[in-house]
Amino acid sequence: MTCMTGPVVAQQAERTVLEALLAGERADYEVTEEFARAVPEAQLAGLLETLRAQIGPIEEITLEDGAGTLRSAGYQVPVRIVLDAEGRLAGLRFGTPEPLVADLREAVDGLQALGTEVSWLVTRGDEALAAGDAAHPLAVASAFKLGILSVLVRDVRSGKTDWDRVLRIGEGHRSLPSGRLQDFPEEAPVTLHTAALLMIAESDNTATDLLLDLLGRDTVAEELGIAPENMLSTREFFALKADPAAAQAWRDAAPELRPAIAAEAAVQPPDPAAASGQSVPGMEWYVSLERLCELILPMTGLPILELNPGPAYGLGPAAYKGGSEPGVLNFTVALQDAEERPVCAALTINDPGLIDEAAATGAFRALLRRALGQP
């Protein structure tokens, strides 16, 4: 007679509930009241139907301690399931479907179709494993914040400043979300560490402008390889984007006149609705993937960069910063492979239309897995 231990019983219960969910057999599992409130039955059924339509029939489930992978003929999907003490469904999370690819070359094959302009780069140590237009600067949205962090980390490591230094939020720093510092009162004290953490983990734009003001635009522009006259604060960026006439004037102006036009546009807080539209060609932060990898690799292991692993979730400790706005998407990740060799993987997509972020995330995760030699 075989006696199953507690963990084995729990694992089998998780698998049974997951199989019932995927098969649409609602009578074979129960949910907690909290789960039912958070995810109504109709919403759960729609989520599962969408997943089945995306990846096709599930052929294999691997599950251990509630975490695992679903596999169909063409995709794999990270999954996390939580049961309460009574075996009821208390938590469920599906990751982005990742196309199954045999090797790095196959992972790269599908990238060009993700947008009008696409660049990618995978490096391991000093070797470029895969590259497509990686030296060509494209718009990278919030990934430019890696340049600010790079300058700040260098200043801290050299003793020029300290993480505990306190800055004060001024009205000119107040930008649009994402983030939370835009809601802090005037003159609120913020340490460099807190500002940097919010800038990276939550892409806080007010924290970004606070640090940019401290470190200097010319210094950050040089770090990124951007012309100083094109180095916008996030508040200026949103203000120009919200005012088409000002944006056109900035684009048409001689380089030396651009900073004054941007500053004038940003005197008044930008309108959130007007600033939410499609990206404006030429009015962004244009950085090559080669430069982004050069910036992030020396900061691998910095806890600030590991709080939000983005598309590298579940693939090991990863330094990550990405960026997005309508028409722009970037992922930049640095981590180590099984042999502790430094790996950087980065992808940028620019398109005047709609970018399929889910498809891009899945394709990037497939690329990252192949770069790490993971199944």
Side-chain angles (χ1 to χ4, degrees):
M1 181 176 69
T2 301
C3 179
M4 292 194 295
T5 63
V8 174
V9 171
Q11 186 167 312
Q12 183 58 48
E14 291 162 352
R15 175 179 286 274
T16 299
V17 171
L18 185 56
E19 289 174 343
L21 280 162
L22 294 169
E25 298 169 353
R26 179 64 182 86
D28 290 351
Y29 64 90
E30 296 182 1
V31 303
T32 65
E33 292 180 4
E34 293 81 3
F35 186 89
R37 284 195 297 268
V39 188
E41 186 172 340
Q43 182 180 342
L44 178 60
L47 170 68
L48 294 167
E49 181 61 34
T50 298
L51 179 65
R52 288 189 287 267
Q54 284 180 314
I55 70 174
I58 305 298
E59 298 182 353
E60 180 183 355
I61 299 174
T62 58
L63 200 63
E64 184 174 352
D65 296 328
T69 303
L70 310 177
R71 283 178 179 260
S72 66
Y75 292 89
Q76 64 181 7
V77 181
V79 62
R80 175 74 177 172
I81 185 169
V82 179
L83 305 185
D84 71 357
E86 299 176 24
R88 298 177 300 179
L89 180 64
L92 182 66
R93 180 185 185 275
F94 295 113
T96 302
E98 307 165 28
L100 292 174
V101 293
D103 51 32
L104 193 58
R105 176 174 293 181
E106 189 175 342
V108 166
D109 283 346
L111 298 180
Q112 191 63 62
L114 293 172
T116 302
E117 292 186 278
V118 183
S119 62
W120 60 87
L121 178 64
V122 180
T123 66
R124 184 175 62 206
D126 295 329
E127 179 185 8
L129 302 181
D133 287 333
H136 178 56
L138 292 178
V140 298
S142 285
F144 90 92
K145 296 167 186 178
L146 283 172
I148 295 177
L149 184 65
S150 178
V151 174
L152 180 58
V153 168
R154 186 169 63 243
D155 284 356
V156 170
R157 289 173 175 173
S158 70
K160 185 177 179 180
T161 191
D162 189 271
W163 289 119
D164 294 334
R165 179 176 174 181
V166 173
L167 304 177
R168 302 277 177 176
I169 298 176
E171 182 56 36
H173 301 128
R174 208 176 300 279
S175 189
L176 296 181
S178 54
R180 64 181 79 180
L181 288 190
Q182 72 277 356
D183 298 323
F184 278 37
E186 185 113 5
E187 295 296 310
V190 181
T191 66
L192 292 185
H193 190 274
T194 296
L197 184 151
L198 292 175
M199 175 180 71
I200 298 300
E202 299 183 6
S203 211
D204 191 302
N205 291 317
T206 298
T208 300
D209 288 357
L210 190 63
L211 292 171
L212 181 63
D213 189 33
L214 170 72
L215 300 171
R217 295 186 191 223
D218 288 358
T219 302
V220 173
E222 183 178 2
E223 193 79 351
L224 290 164
I226 293 175
E229 60 271 12
N230 294 336
M231 187 67 214
L232 296 167
S233 69
T234 70
R235 178 174 171 129
E236 290 171 346
F237 168 76
F238 287 124
L240 289 171
K241 194 175 178 185
D243 184 343
Q248 190 62 51
W250 185 88
R251 295 170 68 197
D252 292 342
E256 65 273 12
L257 300 179
R258 285 183 167 182
I261 296 171
E264 182 178 356
V267 169
Q268 297 298 321
D271 174 52
S276 63
Q278 195 74 12
S279 60
V280 179
M283 197 186 73
E284 242 272 5
W285 299 276
Y286 284 77
V287 188
S288 73
L289 294 185
E290 289 183 351
R291 187 61 190 137
L292 289 178
C293 279
E294 289 170 355
L295 291 173
I296 200 170
L297 279 167
M299 298 188 288
T300 304
L302 188 69
I304 285 172
L305 277 164
E306 294 184 350
L307 283 172
N308 176 6
Y313 175 81
L315 300 181
Y320 168 73
K321 185 72 190 89
S324 66
E325 66 158 326
V328 174
L329 183 65
N330 170 269
F331 303 128
T332 301
V333 174
L335 66 179
Q336 292 185 329
D337 66 8
E339 298 178 28
E340 298 187 348
R341 295 173 295 187
V343 172
C344 181
L347 172 70
T348 297
I349 303 169
N350 287 183
D351 195 288
L354 182 66
I355 295 174
D356 188 337
E357 189 165 343
T361 301
F364 183 73
R365 280 183 63 89
L367 180 76
L368 195 50
R369 283 187 189 274
R370 297 278 69 79
L372 296 172
Q374 295 186 6

